[in-house]
Amino acid sequence: MLFLITFTGRVNAQVLSESKFIRYFNSQSYAGKVNVIDTLKGNLKLKYYPLVKNELQKIKEKAIADNKTDVLDKFLCIEGEMYYLNKNYYKCIPIFIDLFAKHKIKNYKDSSKVFSLLKKSYIKTRALNKAIEVHKLLAALKVKHSDIDQWEMNPYLSTIYYEMKLYNECLKQQLLEYDDMKEDSSALLGYYNNRGLYWNKYNNQDSAIACFEIAKKIFYNTHAHKKLRPYDEFVIGLIEGNIGQSFMVLNEFQKAIPLLKKDVRSSVAIKDFNNAAISQLELSKCYLSLNQLDLSKRYLDSVNEVLPSLIDYKLKLNTLKQYADYYHRAGLLNESILFYNRYIKTKDSLDNQESMKELIATQVAYQMEEKEKLIATNQLKIKEEGIEITKQQSVKNVLLISGILLVLVILLVLFQLKKTNHQKQLLELRNKQIETRNEIINKSLVEKDLLIQEVHHRVKNNLQIVSSLLKLQAAKSNNEEVKISLQEAYDRINSMALLHQMLYRNNEMTSLSFDAYLTSLINQISSSFSSEDKSIKIEFNLIALELDLDTAIPLGLITNELLSNAYKHAFSGKEGIVRIQLKKLSKSLYQLKIADNGKGLPDNFNDLITDSLGLDIVSILSDQISAELKVYNDHGANFEIIFKA
């Protein structure tokens, strides 16, 4: 998921072609040329800076010769921003700190720009507490100067809390930021999209979806009667992709799929292949959850094709995990274990890299704090003494102490690296031990799965043998009442045998797709009554539902009893309809309803429940799974079983 942060333009030459830009640049004075580059937007600065780099170097040399400190300070700002744009954050941070410490920034607009870049650099290096300090300084500056561009406040304090995973504080802080954005539709759109992401992380999907829907409404109101550009399609696709991810958390995969597909199409249209790959991976998860393995594999392979060209290591890690899950669901356990081991090794490697980055960031932050203190001390001495010689000596002292501190930091880093290498060797030894244990565990799990499959297979076969014996006994009996009893027992056993058959066929151990089982059971019962001189129509509407065996077996037997009774006793004529419905009532409460349009139950049907073996079985099985059984007449007999899953 991504943030929608909109920026407003602020540059004079941004729409010029390269040749026109160079002509415009050459028409300026040498101070004006520096100012042209300084005021360019980030992407345009990356584009045009190499074209005039040599000319700028000549201007810098002339400024040094002429002692033009204001021009040299501009060059320092440009140098720091170029490091930032090229993602060299550890080099730009000292430059920005030096600009403030030595009072080289002459106006508040340049100050706000450098504060904004320094804050973003701290966020990129995960020095988030430092980022909060800088953001507060920037906010105080904006209070004094309201004409500072609003985009420079991005990312807001709520976003920093989000990066720190403080989601409760993040949601509270964002409410305080609403007034800054309510007048700007683009900023407000980003506000509600981001708030949806915060609620998503806080695991409140209803609130998340509500915020995303508000963002959609703002988008369509803003773009009413306008032809959408590819980037506009990308923005709305991104919002709908976020809605799709919330539906995934709610296990509403059918709703999520079209939204994620739209996000993929719009991302590909603007060549944002990284975001497209993220949504394709989510689609693979959706189809895997829906047991549509071919589609899941197709999207997973699409992600894998573009991975070499991307630098999103989290995406690569999630792709390995998804391959492991896919092969496990497909029953290819060796391939699943192979990908899962690759996932664990890659994750450990990335965790080690993140730890090293955090160590370096801490050391850099410490070094910068010490440097700030030394510079402040040096400036105080200069003001107190007011003598040029003392000033120069203080500068030398600062440089000497900085050098010593740098050497100490280097020695500390070397010591830490040596310590880290030792720990790494110990970890490798432990990892090998863990891998050996995992192999043993995985082999045991495979053997266990095979044994459970064999148990289901043998149970199914034994039940089929019993049902065959019952059928043979019924065929040889001359007593009609005995035949009926044996046939009912035969149907009950077949309903259980069908369940074990599905478990064995689908490689499921402890649960199964109850809707698929019900469908097969209904067809089986209908076939057994097909020879009756009646035209009974079965209508059923079943949601997708996974159930454990302790719940599925009693519900299957209940369905067998009620559907069989409907065939035998519900209809006086030759035609009738039986409706079977499985639906969700709340988060963990479900309803199985079996109703017919026949002659209904007699007035004393409550006594009938205890007198009839079949209905007595329904009552007992309902109690067994702690379900609520409702029996009533409504244009025919109605049975409702309300149960938890």
Side-chain angles (χ1 to χ4, degrees):
M1 290 180 283
L2 302 174
F3 290 102
L4 294 178
I5 301 176
T6 55
F7 298 89
T8 53
R10 60 184 182 96
V11 66
N12 44 17
Q14 64 186 39
V15 296
L16 299 178
S17 64
E18 291 183 2
S19 59
K20 288 183 179 179
F21 172 79
I22 291 173
R23 286 200 298 273
Y24 173 76
F25 176 86
N26 289 332
S27 68
Q28 305 295 312
S29 65
Y30 84 85
K33 290 177 180 178
V34 176
N35 192 59
V36 166
I37 293 296
D38 185 52
T39 55
L40 282 175
K41 258 188 177 181
N43 289 337
L44 293 173
K45 189 170 288 185
L46 279 173
K47 178 181 179 182
Y48 292 134
Y49 182 85
L51 302 176
V52 296
K53 184 177 180 181
N54 293 335
E55 179 65 16
L56 288 172
Q57 184 60 34
K58 294 177 183 178
I59 295 172
K60 185 176 181 180
E61 291 171 0
K62 182 171 176 55
I64 293 172
D66 296 341
N67 197 27
K68 295 286 186 179
T69 55
D70 56 335
V71 176
L72 292 173
D73 291 342
K74 282 283 186 184
F75 268 109
L76 201 57
C77 287
I78 294 170
E79 182 181 2
E81 189 173 0
M82 290 305 298
Y83 277 132
Y84 172 83
L85 293 172
N86 286 297
K87 301 181 180 180
N88 201 333
Y89 307 115
Y90 293 110
K91 287 190 175 181
C92 69
I93 289 174
I95 292 175
F96 295 146
I97 291 175
D98 199 56
L99 284 167
F100 285 115
K102 295 184 178 179
H103 304 289
K104 293 184 177 183
I105 302 177
K106 307 303 181 185
N107 61 73
Y108 69 89
K109 289 208 168 182
D110 285 342
S111 294
S112 66
K113 170 185 170 184
V114 175
F115 269 136
S116 179
L117 292 172
L118 180 58
K119 176 178 67 171
K120 293 171 186 173
S121 300
Y122 276 136
I123 291 173
K124 293 293 186 182
T125 57
R126 308 301 297 171
L128 299 175
N129 288 325
K130 281 287 185 183
I132 291 174
E133 293 176 12
V134 175
H135 179 85
K136 290 179 179 178
L137 292 172
L138 181 57
L141 186 64
K142 185 163 176 32
V143 170
K144 292 181 180 179
H145 305 282
S146 59
D147 59 336
I148 290 176
D149 287 338
Q150 189 64 37
W151 68 268
E152 289 187 338
M153 299 303 295
N154 282 308
Y156 279 79
L157 194 56
S158 59
T159 305
I160 302 175
Y161 285 146
Y162 177 88
E163 292 293 332
M164 297 172 79
K165 299 182 180 179
L166 301 173
Y167 303 123
N168 191 29
E169 288 77 6
C170 166
L171 287 162
K172 292 178 182 177
Q173 177 61 33
Q174 199 192 30
L175 290 175
L176 303 177
E177 298 164 355
Y178 176 81
D179 288 340
D180 294 337
M181 307 182 195
K182 62 183 180 181
E183 301 301 330
D184 184 340
S185 59
S186 296
L188 198 59
L189 184 149
Y191 173 91
Y192 279 107
N193 180 71
N194 290 358
R195 191 160 184 81
L197 295 172
Y198 301 155
W199 279 120
N200 178 282
K201 286 294 185 182
Y202 201 65
N203 204 25
N204 187 332
Q205 303 308 321
D206 292 336
S207 297
I209 292 171
C211 289
F212 292 139
E213 291 295 342
I214 294 173
K216 278 178 62 178
K217 184 177 180 181
I218 294 170
F219 176 88
Y220 285 117
N221 287 342
T222 305
H223 294 80
H225 311 299
K226 294 180 182 177
K227 182 178 180 181
L228 297 183
R229 299 168 298 170
Y231 182 76
D232 296 327
E233 294 282 0
F234 170 73
V235 171
I236 190 61
L238 191 64
I239 297 171
E240 295 196 346
N242 289 336
I243 296 174
Q245 291 190 338
S246 286
F247 279 135
M248 286 181 65
V249 177
L250 296 171
N251 292 327
E252 295 184 20
F253 303 107
Q254 295 288 7
K255 292 183 179 179
I257 287 171
L259 299 172
L260 293 168
K261 286 182 177 180
K262 183 174 181 179
D263 190 21
V264 171
R265 290 193 299 271
S266 59
S267 297
V268 170
I270 66 164
K271 298 184 179 179
D272 189 340
F273 299 112
N274 193 82
N275 192 61
I278 291 172
S279 290
Q280 285 177 317
L281 188 62
E282 298 300 288
L283 283 166
S284 176
K285 293 177 182 178
C286 287
Y287 283 119
L288 189 62
S289 298
L290 295 172
N291 210 30
Q292 298 183 31
L293 300 185
D294 290 341
L295 286 172
S296 176
K297 184 67 160 50
R298 186 187 307 169
Y299 279 102
L300 187 55
D301 288 341
S302 297
V303 176
N304 195 45
E305 287 175 6
V306 299
L307 275 183
S309 63
L310 304 177
I311 58 172
D312 188 340
Y313 294 107
K314 186 176 180 181
L315 176 61
K316 295 180 179 180
L317 190 65
N318 290 336
T319 302
L320 290 173
K321 179 66 166 57
Q322 180 64 8
Y323 267 115
D325 292 342
Y326 166 78
Y327 283 119
H328 183 268
R329 181 65 66 87
L332 302 173
L333 298 179
N334 290 334
E335 289 81 352
S336 177
I337 292 169
L338 176 65
F339 275 96
Y340 189 76
N341 288 336
R342 286 176 59 188
Y343 164 79
I344 294 297
K345 290 180 181 178
T346 305
K347 186 176 185 300
D348 289 344
S349 175
L350 292 177
D351 288 345
N352 290 336
Q353 291 178 23
E354 287 299 317
S355 298
M356 184 59 68
K357 285 180 181 178
E358 290 179 4
L359 175 63
I360 294 172
T362 302
Q363 292 168 343
V364 169
Y366 171 77
Q367 183 181 353
M368 292 303 103
E369 287 176 357
E370 292 299 312
K371 189 174 181 181
E372 289 173 30
K373 292 177 183 178
L374 290 170
I375 292 172
T377 303
N378 181 49
Q379 289 178 333
L380 182 60
K381 288 180 180 179
I382 292 172
K383 290 179 182 179
E384 289 174 350
E385 296 175 6
I387 302 171
E388 187 64 26
I389 296 173
T390 306
K391 179 180 176 181
Q392 293 176 356
Q393 187 60 44
S394 298
V395 172
K396 289 180 181 178
N397 290 339
V398 170
L399 292 174
L400 178 61
I401 295 172
S402 298
I404 293 171
L405 284 174
L406 185 61
V407 170
L408 289 174
V409 170
I410 291 172
L411 290 174
L412 179 62
V413 171
L414 291 174
F415 174 76
Q416 290 291 339
L417 286 173
K418 185 176 180 181
K419 186 177 178 180
T420 302
N421 286 334
H422 178 66
Q423 292 176 342
K424 184 178 179 182
Q425 290 174 355
L426 291 175
L427 283 173
E428 287 177 352
L429 180 60
R430 290 175 185 172
N431 285 338
K432 287 181 181 178
Q433 294 173 345
I434 291 171
E435 286 175 3
T436 303
R437 291 174 186 170
N438 284 342
E439 287 178 3
I440 295 171
I441 291 170
N442 288 334
K443 287 180 181 177
S444 298
L445 287 174
V446 171
E447 291 174 358
K448 181 181 177 183
D449 288 345
L450 290 174
L451 285 172
I452 293 174
Q453 285 182 346
E454 181 62 23
V455 168
H456 284 310
H457 183 56
R458 292 188 180 185
V459 169
K460 179 205 68 171
N461 288 344
N462 289 336
L463 288 172
Q464 286 179 340
I465 290 171
V466 172
S467 65
S468 297
L469 291 172
L470 289 173
K471 194 168 185 179
L472 288 171
Q473 187 66 40
K476 292 186 176 183
S477 176
N478 295 322
N479 189 319
E480 191 62 30
E481 195 172 311
V482 171
K483 279 187 176 184
I484 292 172
S485 298
L486 290 174
Q487 181 62 39
E488 289 175 349
Y490 171 79
D491 291 338
R492 291 167 189 147
I493 290 172
N494 270 356
S495 71
M496 292 187 287
L498 176 63
L499 183 141
H500 287 282
Q501 180 181 352
M502 292 184 70
L503 288 170
Y504 175 71
R505 185 191 308 153
N506 298 329
N507 292 328
E508 295 289 351
M509 301 300 112
T510 59
S511 65
L512 83 164
S513 176
F514 185 62
D515 52 305
Y517 167 61
L518 265 185
T519 302
S520 299
L521 180 60
I522 291 166
N523 292 334
Q524 178 178 284
I525 295 169
S526 298
S527 297
S528 69
F529 286 95
S530 61
S531 62
E532 297 285 339
D533 188 21
K534 293 182 181 179
S535 176
I536 307 301
K537 183 179 179 182
I538 306 296
E539 296 179 356
F540 51 88
N541 182 15
L542 311 175
I543 63 165
L545 179 62
E546 289 283 330
L547 284 182
D548 58 81
L549 301 188
D550 291 339
T551 305
I553 291 175
L555 287 173
L557 289 170
I558 288 171
T559 303
N560 177 75
E561 293 299 327
L562 295 177
L563 186 55
S564 297
N565 281 346
Y567 267 104
K568 294 174 183 177
H569 309 299
F571 305 105
S572 300
K574 296 184 178 182
E575 295 184 352
I577 299 175
V578 180
R579 296 181 177 87
I580 301 175
Q581 184 182 47
L582 177 64
K583 68 178 182 179
K584 186 174 184 178
L585 299 179
S586 63
K587 185 176 181 180
S588 61
L589 205 62
Y590 295 84
Q591 180 195 73
L592 174 62
K593 181 176 180 181
I594 301 174
D596 61 64
N597 65 345
K599 60 188 179 182
L601 296 165
D603 294 336
N604 62 336
F605 62 79
N606 285 326
D607 297 331
L608 188 64
I609 290 176
T610 56
D611 294 338
S612 168
L613 175 61
L615 294 180
D616 194 27
I617 288 173
V618 171
S619 178
I620 292 170
L621 291 174
S622 298
D623 291 339
Q624 181 179 321
I625 60 174
S626 300
E628 180 184 356
L629 174 63
K630 294 182 179 180
V631 183
Y632 58 92
N633 282 320
D634 183 9
H635 301 290
N638 286 259
F639 296 86
E640 293 182 7
I641 299 92
I642 300 172
F643 61 95
K644 292 182 179 180

